[in-house]
Every structure is written in C-alpha cells, then in structure tokens.
C-alpha cells in the first residue's frame, strides 16, 4: 500500500489512495509514533466524480471522523499537484468542502455552523459548536498553562464526545489556541477547531474579517462569513513510502 505523509501546521496524516481496507487495529498500528509511521490519522481518498473526491477519515485510535480541516488542506494539495487545476471539492462524511490554492498555501471553504451554544463548564466560559464534527470551545486566561487533558475530560463528560479547544482572544484578529481531538489527543493544530473557535469568539466580541489562529504548530487563517467559513494555511509534504 503506497502512502504519502503530509501535515498542516504539524497536524499530520497518512494519505492513501483507495480502495483500502483498514481495520481499527491496523489504523492504530500505522499511526503509532514509535512502532508505525506515526500520524494523527489516515485519510483514504476515493475515486473522483468529476472534480469531487470522497475522503474517509480514520482517527489515530481507529475510530472514524466526520470532518478534518487540516486533513482536507493536505488532500487538496496532493490532488491539485497530481491532477492539476486550482480548485476542487472533497466529500467528507460531515459535509463537502471546496478547496483552492491560496497565497497562504491551501484554503478550504466550509458551510458556516449553526449559532454556537453557550454553556458553563465549572465556571469556565464555553461554547458548543458543530463544524462537520462537534467542538467545545473554552476561553481561558492562558491556553499554554491550561490543563487541557483535564478540561477535555470534563467537557466530554458534560457534553459527549467532541474536540475540545482552550483559547484566548488576544485581539479581534488574533487567537491563541490548543486542541485535544477526540480519538487522537492533543494535536499541534486543528483546522475545524480553529474555525469553531472563531465562531465562538464572535459570540463575545466583533472579530476581524481575517483572524490569525495561533496553534502550537504555527498559524492558521480564518475568514468567517454569514454563509461560509474559509480556513487557509500551509499544507506540506513529509515523505512517501509503502506498507506491506
């Protein structure tokens, strides 16, 4: 099985052109960072219909995902480089996104989420947001010092399985963010989490047209509109190989 390893701000994936029959055990083996290739997930690219490719998301723990912003940007670059053109569509279980080349790298466009739902978690301001997959965004004084693992456990106990973000709005065009992704753990970046956090922040104050979301792996850029959200950033190759 041939594969390509890619990442978006350190959020890394193994890309495979299907068909690929991957059991949960096999996914865990491949994503293991000591015994396998190492990745936050595996993205299986299906056969295209026109300029639209279906993508199946396998999380590092073997579970299936609904949507993946940085993964979508990686797949988009891989396909644009291989098939040409400047734009395409990717069909995920959580919805179809459009992708294009952008000055920041690769940009993808999602449908805007429903209005975030304000919730309280042990006195912490938080919002529940669905962005193809569920998110819980908590606003804290300093994301770098927050006990993300404990907060993620508490948030999931209260709201169900979700990606959990801890964030601080520094200015209307800058957010600091860390994310604990369900089925993976803390990652260096999360594209849908960046978008969900901008949506939640807009419930508290007016945000700029283009917001930089600073994650441990680098910067992502979000443009929020009434009908669509655009996520942009770099999508990079790591290496290629094959598995028996």
């Amino acid at each position: 099985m041939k594969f390509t390893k890619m990442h978006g701000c350190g959020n890394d994936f193994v890309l495979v052109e299907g068909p690929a029959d991957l059991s949960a055990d096999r996914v865990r083996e491949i994503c293991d960072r000591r015994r396998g290739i190492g990745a936050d997930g595996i993205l299986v690219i299906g056969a295209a219909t026109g300029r639209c490719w279906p993508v199946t998301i396998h999380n590092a723990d073997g579970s299936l995902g609904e949507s993946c912003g940085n993964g979508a940007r990686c797949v988009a670059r891989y396909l644009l480089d291989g098939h040409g053109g400047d734009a395409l569509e990717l069909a995920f279980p959580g919805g179809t996104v459009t992708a294009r080349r952008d000055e920041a790298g690769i940009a993808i466009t999602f449908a805007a989420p429903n209005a975030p739902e304000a919730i309280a978690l042990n006195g912490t301001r938080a919002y529940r947001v669905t962005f193809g997959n569920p998110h819980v965004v908590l606003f804290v004084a300093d994301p770098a010092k927050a006990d993300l693992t404990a907060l993620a456990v508490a948030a999931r106990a209260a709201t169900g399985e979700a990606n959990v973000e801890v964030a601080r709005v520094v200015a209307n065009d800058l957010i600091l963010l860390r994310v604990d992704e369900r089925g993976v753990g803390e990652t260096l970046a999360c594209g849908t989490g960046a978008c969900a956090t901008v949506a939640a922040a807009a419930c508290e104050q007016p945000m700029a047209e283009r917001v930089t979301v600073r994650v441990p792996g680098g910067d992502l850029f979000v443009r929020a509109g009434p009908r669509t959200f655009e996520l942009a950033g770099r999508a990079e190759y790591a290496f290629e190989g094959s598995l028996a």
Side-chain angles (χ1 to χ4, degrees):
M1 181 175 69
K2 294 182 179 180
F3 69 87
T4 300
K5 177 77 179 290
M6 298 186 71
H7 73 91
C9 289
N11 194 191
D12 58 342
F13 306 94
V14 173
L15 277 60
V16 176
E17 293 197 32
D21 185 14
L22 295 171
S23 67
D25 286 341
R26 184 60 169 150
V27 170
R28 288 191 288 269
E29 290 173 358
I30 293 171
C31 292
D32 189 295
R33 296 191 182 277
R34 298 184 185 275
R35 299 179 176 85
I37 297 170
D40 292 328
I42 301 174
L43 306 175
V44 179
I45 305 167
T49 301
R51 293 282 293 177
C52 181
W53 281 262
V55 182
T56 301
I57 304 168
H58 296 270
N59 294 321
D61 71 348
S63 62
L64 294 174
E66 291 100 341
S67 186
C68 182
N70 287 323
R73 295 191 307 99
C74 290
V75 172
R77 180 175 178 188
Y78 174 83
L79 292 172
L80 288 171
D81 288 350
H83 294 269
D86 291 318
L88 51 75
E89 292 186 331
L90 300 172
F92 291 93
T96 298
V97 303
T98 61
R100 63 178 179 83
R101 296 190 187 276
D102 176 87
E103 61 182 10
I106 298 291
I108 58 171
T109 301
F110 304 85
N114 292 331
E117 176 190 356
I119 57 176
L121 289 173
N122 298 327
T124 302
R125 303 180 350 262
Y127 292 85
R128 186 166 14 202
V129 189
T130 298
F131 231 111
N133 47 19
H135 294 263
V136 176
V137 181
L138 299 92
F139 290 105
V140 299
D142 186 351
K145 294 181 180 179
D147 188 342
L148 177 56
T149 299
L151 289 171
V153 169
R156 291 180 182 124
T159 67
E161 285 300 309
N163 293 345
V164 178
E165 287 80 23
V166 291
R168 176 191 170 201
V169 179
V170 178
N172 71 342
D173 63 350
L174 176 62
I175 293 174
L176 306 182
L177 178 67
R178 289 171 61 205
V179 184
D180 185 297
E181 296 193 50
R182 60 177 181 162
V184 183
E186 183 172 3
T187 57
L188 293 179
C190 178
T192 57
C195 292
T197 302
V198 171
C203 295
E204 301 219 331
Q205 67 177 68
M207 300 300 292
E209 178 185 357
R210 183 177 187 261
V211 179
T212 299
V213 180
R214 187 153 295 155
V215 293
D219 288 349
L220 295 168
F221 308 98
V222 177
R223 286 187 172 91
R227 296 185 179 180
T228 61
F229 273 55
E230 184 179 79
L231 169 73
R234 300 181 69 177
E236 305 285 357
Y237 292 97
F239 56 87
E240 297 178 341
S242 61
L243 291 167

